Coordinates of all heavy atoms in Angstrom, one line a residue:
A1109 N 86.8 26.9 87.4 CA 87.9 27.6 87.9 C 87.4 28.9 88.6 O 87.9 29.3 89.7 CB 88.9 27.9 86.9
G1110 N 86.4 29.5 88.0 CA 85.9 30.8 88.5 C 85.1 30.5 89.8 O 85.2 31.3 90.8
A1111 N 84.4 29.4 89.9 CA 83.8 28.9 91.1 C 84.8 28.8 92.3 O 84.6 29.1 93.4 CB 82.9 27.7 90.9
F1112 N 85.9 28.1 91.9 CA 87.0 27.9 92.9 C 87.4 29.3 93.4 O 87.6 29.5 94.6 CB 88.2 27.3 92.3 CG 88.0 25.8 91.9 CD1 88.9 25.2 91.1 CD2 87.0 25.1 92.4 CE1 88.8 23.9 90.8 CE2 86.8 23.7 92.1 CZ 87.7 23.1 91.3
V1113 N 87.7 30.3 92.5 CA 88.2 31.6 92.9 C 87.2 32.3 93.8 O 87.6 32.9 94.8 CB 88.5 32.4 91.6 CG1 88.7 33.9 91.9 CG2 89.7 31.9 90.8
K1114 N 85.9 32.2 93.4 CA 84.9 32.9 94.2 C 84.8 32.3 95.6 O 84.7 33.0 96.6 CB 83.5 32.8 93.5 CG 83.5 33.8 92.3 CD 82.1 33.7 91.6 CE 82.0 34.6 90.4 NZ 80.7 34.6 89.8
D1115 N 84.8 31.0 95.7 CA 84.7 30.2 97.0 C 85.9 30.6 97.9 O 85.6 31.0 99.1 CB 84.7 28.7 96.7 CG 84.2 27.9 97.9 OD1 83.2 28.3 98.5 OD2 84.9 27.0 98.3
A1116 N 87.1 30.5 97.4 CA 88.2 30.8 98.2 C 88.3 32.3 98.6 O 88.6 32.7 99.7 CB 89.5 30.4 97.6
G1117 N 88.0 33.2 97.6 CA 88.1 34.6 97.9 C 87.0 35.1 98.8 O 87.3 35.9 99.7
R1118 N 85.8 34.5 98.7 CA 84.8 34.8 99.7 C 85.1 34.5 101.1 O 84.9 35.2 102.0 CB 83.5 34.1 99.2 CG 82.3 34.2 100.2 CD 81.1 33.5 99.6 NE 81.3 32.1 99.3 CZ 80.4 31.3 98.7 NH1 79.3 31.9 98.3 NH2 80.7 30.1 98.4
E1119 N 85.8 33.3 101.3 CA 86.2 32.8 102.6 C 87.2 33.8 103.2 O 87.1 34.2 104.4 CB 86.8 31.4 102.6 CG 87.2 30.9 103.9 CD 87.9 29.6 103.9 OE1 88.1 29.1 102.8 OE2 88.2 29.1 105.0
A1120 N 88.1 34.2 102.4 CA 89.2 35.1 102.9 C 88.5 36.5 103.3 O 88.9 37.1 104.3 CB 90.2 35.4 101.8
L1121 N 87.6 37.0 102.5 CA 87.0 38.3 102.8 C 86.1 38.2 104.0 O 86.2 39.0 104.9 CB 86.1 38.7 101.6 CG 86.8 39.2 100.3 CD1 85.8 39.4 99.2 CD2 87.6 40.4 100.6
R1122 N 85.4 37.1 104.1 CA 84.5 36.9 105.3 C 85.3 36.8 106.6 O 84.9 37.3 107.6 CB 83.6 35.7 105.1 CG 82.5 35.9 104.1 CD 81.7 34.7 103.9 NE 80.4 34.9 103.2 CZ 79.6 34.0 102.7 NH1 79.9 32.7 103.0 NH2 78.6 34.3 102.0
Q1123 N 86.5 36.2 106.5 CA 87.3 36.0 107.7 C 87.7 37.4 108.2 O 87.9 37.7 109.4 CB 88.5 35.2 107.5 CG 89.3 34.9 108.7 CD 90.4 33.9 108.5 OE1 90.9 33.7 107.4 NE2 90.8 33.1 109.6
A1124 N 87.9 38.3 107.3 CA 88.3 39.7 107.6 C 87.1 40.6 107.9 O 87.3 41.8 108.0 CB 89.1 40.3 106.5
G1125 N 85.9 40.1 107.9 CA 84.7 40.8 108.2 C 84.2 41.6 107.0 O 83.5 42.6 107.2
R1126 N 84.5 41.2 105.8 CA 84.1 42.0 104.6 C 83.1 41.1 103.8 O 83.1 39.9 103.9 CB 85.3 42.3 103.7 CG 86.4 43.1 104.5 CD 87.6 43.4 103.6 NE 87.2 44.4 102.6 CZ 87.2 45.7 102.8 NH1 87.6 46.2 103.9 NH2 86.9 46.5 101.7
R1127 N 82.3 41.8 102.9 CA 81.3 41.1 102.1 C 81.8 41.1 100.7 O 82.1 42.2 100.1 CB 80.0 41.8 102.2 CG 79.2 41.5 103.5 CD 77.8 41.9 103.4 NE 77.6 43.3 102.9 CZ 77.1 43.7 101.8 NH1 76.7 42.8 100.9 NH2 77.0 45.0 101.4
P1128 N 81.7 39.9 100.0 CA 81.9 39.9 98.5 C 80.9 40.8 97.8 O 79.7 40.9 98.3 CB 81.7 38.5 98.1 CG 81.9 37.7 99.4 CD 81.4 38.6 100.5
G1129 N 81.3 41.5 96.8 CA 80.4 42.3 96.0 C 80.3 43.7 96.5 O 79.7 44.6 95.7
S1130 N 80.7 44.0 97.6 CA 80.7 45.4 98.1 C 81.9 46.2 97.5 O 83.0 46.0 98.1 CB 80.7 45.5 99.7 OG 80.6 46.8 100.1
A1131 N 81.7 46.9 96.5 CA 82.8 47.5 95.7 C 83.7 48.4 96.6 O 83.2 49.3 97.2 CB 82.3 48.2 94.5
D1132 N 85.0 48.1 96.6 CA 86.0 48.9 97.4 C 87.1 49.3 96.4 O 87.9 48.5 95.9 CB 86.5 48.0 98.5 CG 87.6 48.7 99.3 OD1 88.0 49.9 99.0 OD2 88.0 48.1 100.3
P1133 N 87.2 50.6 96.1 CA 88.2 51.1 95.1 C 89.6 51.0 95.7 O 90.5 51.2 94.9 CB 87.8 52.6 94.9 CG 87.0 53.0 96.1 CD 86.3 51.7 96.6
R1134 N 89.7 50.7 97.0 CA 91.1 50.6 97.5 C 91.4 49.1 97.7 O 92.4 48.8 98.4 CB 91.2 51.3 98.9 CG 91.0 52.8 98.7 CD 92.0 53.4 97.8 NE 93.4 53.3 98.4 CZ 94.5 53.6 97.7 NH1 94.4 53.9 96.4 NH2 95.7 53.5 98.3
L1135 N 90.6 48.2 97.2 CA 90.9 46.7 97.3 C 91.2 46.2 95.9 O 90.5 46.3 95.0 CB 89.6 46.0 97.8 CG 89.6 44.5 97.7 CD1 90.7 43.9 98.6 CD2 88.3 43.9 98.2
G1136 N 92.5 45.7 95.8 CA 93.0 45.2 94.6 C 92.8 43.7 94.5 O 92.5 43.0 95.5
L1137 N 93.0 43.2 93.3 CA 92.9 41.7 93.0 C 94.2 41.3 92.2 O 94.4 41.9 91.2 CB 91.6 41.4 92.3 CG 91.5 39.9 91.9 CD1 91.3 39.0 93.1 CD2 90.2 39.8 90.9
V1138 N 94.9 40.2 92.6 CA 95.9 39.6 91.9 C 95.6 38.2 91.7 O 95.5 37.4 92.7 CB 97.3 39.8 92.5 CG1 98.3 39.1 91.7 CG2 97.6 41.3 92.7
L1139 N 95.3 37.7 90.5 CA 95.1 36.3 90.2 C 96.4 35.6 89.7 O 97.1 36.3 89.0 CB 94.0 36.2 89.1 CG 92.6 36.7 89.6 CD1 91.6 36.5 88.4 CD2 92.0 36.0 90.7
A1140 N 96.5 34.4 90.0 CA 97.7 33.6 89.6 C 97.3 32.3 89.1 O 96.5 31.6 89.8 CB 98.8 33.5 90.7
T1141 N 97.8 31.8 88.0 CA 97.4 30.6 87.4 C 98.4 30.0 86.4 O 99.2 30.8 85.8 CB 96.0 30.7 86.7 OG1 95.5 29.5 86.3 CG2 96.1 31.7 85.5
N1142 N 98.3 28.8 86.1 CA 99.0 28.2 85.0 C 98.2 28.2 83.7 O 98.6 28.6 82.7 CB 99.4 26.7 85.3 CG 100.6 26.6 86.2 OD1 101.1 27.6 86.8 ND2 101.2 25.5 86.3
F1143 N 96.9 27.6 83.8 CA 96.1 27.4 82.6 C 95.0 28.4 82.5 O 94.4 28.4 81.5 CB 95.5 26.0 82.7 CG 96.6 24.9 82.5 CD1 97.1 24.2 83.6 CD2 97.1 24.6 81.2 CE1 98.0 23.1 83.3 CE2 98.0 23.6 81.0 CZ 98.5 22.9 82.1
G1144 N 94.6 29.1 83.6 CA 93.4 29.9 83.5 C 92.2 29.2 83.5 O 92.1 28.0 83.8
P1145 N 91.1 29.8 83.1 CA 89.8 29.1 83.1 C 89.7 28.2 81.9 O 89.0 28.4 80.9 CB 88.7 30.3 83.0 CG 89.5 31.3 82.4 CD 90.9 31.2 82.8
M1146 N 90.4 27.1 81.9 CA 90.6 26.3 80.7 C 89.3 25.5 80.3 O 89.1 25.2 79.1 CB 91.7 25.3 80.9 CG 92.1 24.4 79.7 SD 92.5 25.4 78.3 CE 94.0 26.2 78.8
E1147 N 88.4 25.3 81.3 CA 87.1 24.7 81.0 C 86.4 25.5 79.9 O 85.7 24.9 79.0 CB 86.3 24.5 82.2 CG 85.0 23.7 82.1 CD 84.3 23.5 83.4 OE1 83.9 24.5 84.0 OE2 84.1 22.3 83.8
S1148 N 86.4 26.8 80.0 CA 85.8 27.7 79.0 C 86.3 27.5 77.6 O 85.6 27.5 76.7 CB 85.9 29.1 79.4 OG 85.3 29.4 80.6
L1149 N 87.7 27.4 77.5 CA 88.3 27.2 76.2 C 87.9 25.8 75.7 O 87.7 25.6 74.5 CB 89.8 27.3 76.3 CG 90.3 28.8 76.5 CD1 91.8 28.9 76.4 CD2 89.6 29.7 75.5
E1150 N 87.8 24.8 76.6 CA 87.4 23.5 76.1 C 86.0 23.5 75.6 O 85.6 22.9 74.6 CB 87.5 22.5 77.2 CG 88.9 22.0 77.4 CD 89.1 20.7 78.2 OE1 88.0 20.0 78.4 OE2 90.2 20.4 78.6
W1151 N 85.1 24.4 76.2 CA 83.7 24.5 75.7 C 83.7 25.1 74.3 O 83.0 24.7 73.4 CB 83.0 25.5 76.6 CG 82.5 24.8 77.9 CD1 82.4 23.5 78.3 CD2 82.2 25.6 79.1 NE1 82.0 23.4 79.6 CE2 81.9 24.6 80.2 CE3 82.1 26.9 79.5 CZ2 81.5 24.9 81.4 CZ3 81.7 27.3 80.7 CH2 81.4 26.3 81.7
C1152 N 84.6 26.1 74.1 CA 84.7 26.7 72.8 C 85.1 25.7 71.7 O 84.5 25.7 70.6 CB 85.8 27.8 72.8 SG 85.3 29.2 73.9
W1153 N 86.1 24.9 72.1 CA 86.6 23.8 71.1 C 85.4 22.8 70.8 O 85.2 22.5 69.7 CB 87.8 23.2 71.7 CG 88.2 22.0 70.9 CD1 88.9 22.0 69.7 CD2 88.0 20.6 71.1 NE1 89.1 20.8 69.2 CE2 88.6 19.8 70.1 CE3 87.3 19.9 72.1 CZ2 88.6 18.4 70.0 CZ3 87.3 18.5 72.1 CH2 88.0 17.8 71.1
R1154 N 84.7 22.4 71.8 CA 83.7 21.4 71.6 C 82.5 22.1 70.9 O 81.8 21.3 70.1 CB 83.2 20.9 73.0 CG 84.2 20.1 73.7 CD 83.8 19.5 75.1 NE 84.8 19.0 75.8 CZ 85.5 17.9 75.6 NH1 85.1 17.1 74.6 NH2 86.5 17.5 76.4

């Protein structure tokens, strides 16, 4: 799920001429999900 977020977020930033990882204090992030990174919780259970 984190890889999905990074892939889509990177594409959006690049289209706007921005680079991922270049810290911008005026750039916010809103994530939206039903289950969150559930693969991680399944790893915990296993």
